[in-house]
Amino acid sequence: SSALAAQQKLAERHIIVTAGPTHEPIDPVRMLANRSSGKQGFAIAEALADMGARVTLVAGPVTLATPPGIARIDVETAAEMQAAVEAALPAEAAIMAAAVADWRVDVAPAKLKKADGPPALAWSANPDILAGLAASPQRPRLLIGFAAETGNAIAEGQAKLARKRCDWIVANDVSEDPMGGDDNKVHLITADGAESWERASKREIAHRLADRIADALA
Ligand code: CTP
Ligand code: CA
């Protein structure tokens, strides 16, 4: 059947997918979070698994069910996400759909009290998981990043492709498609240029991307 043929296209390939936000604690009751539902990343993990891939899904805090046949690792912070990705290596491809917090703060051991006024938070930069993977001796042969932008998604995506040394960037404009929706309009950016895909459900985009991944790994 065509379903079986599609299933075989990624048989035995190990692929890592990151999805969802990360949460960075401030004190025992507060955190910094990124806005991501995890829907696009989970749909990609499911589409890859449907094609026979062995998928490790590293998920930040989301309220989504695990698609069948997928090994899911739940994490909270960017540091935990990076450790989980590294522990899952080697992989033939990695698709970094997560919205990772760029910064963390020194965590207060006890609840900050309102009466003490707005806290002076001590910020530091989180590791860039995607850029780190690109520079790693265990670099997956196909490395895909995402870029959710409010400016020129194609130009920002092209700059990110070069800066992070990944193979493809899936860029979208979150002022057109606010994060958390069921549809998406994306641009696939590669060394060959930018392809603008028509607006579609996240599930359709996931299947289209999975097909392209299968072609690239074939
Ligand atoms: N990413 C990552 N680790 C980080 C930040 C981002 O792995 N600490 C990944 C994301 O999962 C995504 C890609 O890098 O695949 C681009 O993320 P984005 O936030 O758009 O890039 P930044 O370099 O953080 O740039 P910006 O200033 O636009 O946030
Ligand atoms: Ca960022």
Side-chain angles (χ1 to χ4, degrees):
S1 73
S2 67
L4 196 61
Q7 222 165 41
Q8 287 164 344
K9 274 180 105 177
L10 284 169
E12 292 173 36
R13 308 271 194 205
H14 179 221
I15 302 181
I16 297 169
V17 179
T18 69
T22 67
H23 286 178
E24 309 293 332
I26 295 172
D27 72 7
V29 301
R30 301 183 180 91
M31 63 171 182
L32 301 159
N34 270 40
R35 239 183 235 297
S36 165
S37 65
K39 284 178 192 171
Q40 187 66 79
F42 272 56
I44 291 165
E46 183 166 20
L48 294 168
D50 283 348
M51 297 173 81
R54 184 165 70 78
V55 177
T56 301
L57 174 59
V58 179
V62 293
T63 54
L64 299 172
T66 310
I70 285 176
R72 171 173 174 177
I73 301 164
D74 285 311
V75 298
E76 191 173 338
T77 64
E80 288 169 12
M81 184 170 278
Q82 183 178 47
V85 166
E86 285 174 359
L89 293 169
E92 296 201 51
I95 297 101
M96 315 297 273
V100 183
D102 290 319
W103 307 288
R104 65 180 181 278
V105 297
D106 287 356
V107 184
K111 185 181 173 187
L112 299 169
K113 297 305 284 182
K114 183 170 60 181
D116 295 332
L121 300 175
W123 296 84
S124 25
N126 272 332
D128 190 313
I129 306 166
L130 174 59
L133 204 49
S136 145
Q138 295 203 86
R139 185 197 196 279
R141 113 177 127 83
L142 181 63
L143 194 47
I144 306 175
F146 276 67
E149 304 293 345
T150 54
N152 182 331
I154 293 176
E156 297 281 348
Q158 281 169 331
K160 259 169 208 174
L161 184 79
R163 197 166 71 237
K164 292 174 183 272
R165 299 178 182 280
C166 57
D167 300 300
W168 302 347
I169 288 273
V170 178
N172 72 323
D173 183 340
V174 294
S175 43
E176 284 174 35
D177 292 281
M179 296 175 83
D182 288 320
D183 290 350
N184 210 352
K185 176 158 176 29
V186 304
H187 311 276
L188 180 65
I189 296 165
T190 71
D192 298 332
E195 265 178 42
S196 296
W197 293 2
E198 69 275 15
R199 175 170 285 99
S201 68
K202 288 183 174 175
R203 190 187 155 80
E204 280 163 354
I205 287 168
H207 278 280
R208 193 160 169 187
L209 187 65
D211 273 330
R212 295 291 289 266
I213 291 167
D215 290 345
L217 294 179

